[in-house]
Amino acid sequence: MRRQNGDYEGATQTLKEALQICRNLGYKAGEANALHYLGAMRRQSGDYAGAAEALEEALGIYRDIGDPGGEAEALNEAGTLYRARGSLDQAEAAHRAALALARTIASTWDEAHALAGLGRCAQAARRTADARAFLRQAQEAFREADADEAAAIATELSALAKTE
């Protein structure tokens, strides 16, 4: 709720508290989730180094506990972080790894996010045809998942068409 209301500082503090509780309990899945969302919050607030640190730790835990869904989500978040930092090769690699995991576990949601990430990377690299193809695939996957993100992808595709 705090993040959705724009209270990034409050959301970050709550996530730090949740992380400490999970660590005290030895609850690894909760620890990984708290780190993942803490990484996302740090990215959104511009703390790219802190975001990378939290996401790397989350990925390690997801792998250790055998949670490919959590790993796919964290990889997609890492891809978004790398793209924000201008590291398109790293971003694409993270999204491709997330896509492979998503397809292995048949997670349409994670697949859609990975495809959208790949489309945004292609757009940033000025590979318009690739961007369009990935974004169309993402839009279809979001529709299949009955997710609101399909409309946002349609807007991105429309904007992409105007740049051609």
Side-chain angles (χ1 to χ4, degrees), residues 140-157:
E140 183 56 36
F142 279 128
R143 282 185 184 145
E144 185 180 322
D146 198 28
D148 293 336
E149 284 87 343
I153 297 293
T155 301
E156 288 182 62
L157 282 166

Side-chain angles (χ1 to χ4, degrees), residues 64-122:
D64 287 347
I65 65 174
D67 181 352
E71 186 178 349
E73 286 185 40
L75 282 165
N76 276 324
E77 182 60 41
T80 301
L81 168 65
Y82 296 140
R83 189 174 70 254
R85 292 192 328 192
S87 303
L88 294 180
D89 289 343
Q90 283 183 292
E92 286 188 38
H95 288 304
R96 287 189 188 283
L99 181 61
L101 279 170
R103 287 180 172 164
T104 298
I105 62 172
S107 172
T108 305
W109 175 261
D110 292 319
E111 181 175 346
H113 279 282
L115 290 165
L118 287 168
R120 292 171 185 138
C121 287

Side-chain angles (χ1 to χ4, degrees), residues 22-74:
C22 291
R23 284 182 170 157
N24 290 343
L25 295 172
Y27 178 44
K28 291 297 193 182
E31 182 179 350
N33 289 334
L35 285 162
H36 171 194
Y37 293 116
L38 186 59
M41 289 301 309
R42 287 178 174 165
R43 176 190 55 81
Q44 289 174 332
S45 67
D47 177 9
Y48 294 160
E53 182 181 310
L55 289 169
E56 281 182 36
E57 193 173 349
L59 279 166
I61 295 169
Y62 285 132
R63 288 175 180 140
D64 287 347
I65 65 174
D67 181 352
E71 186 178 349
E73 286 185 40

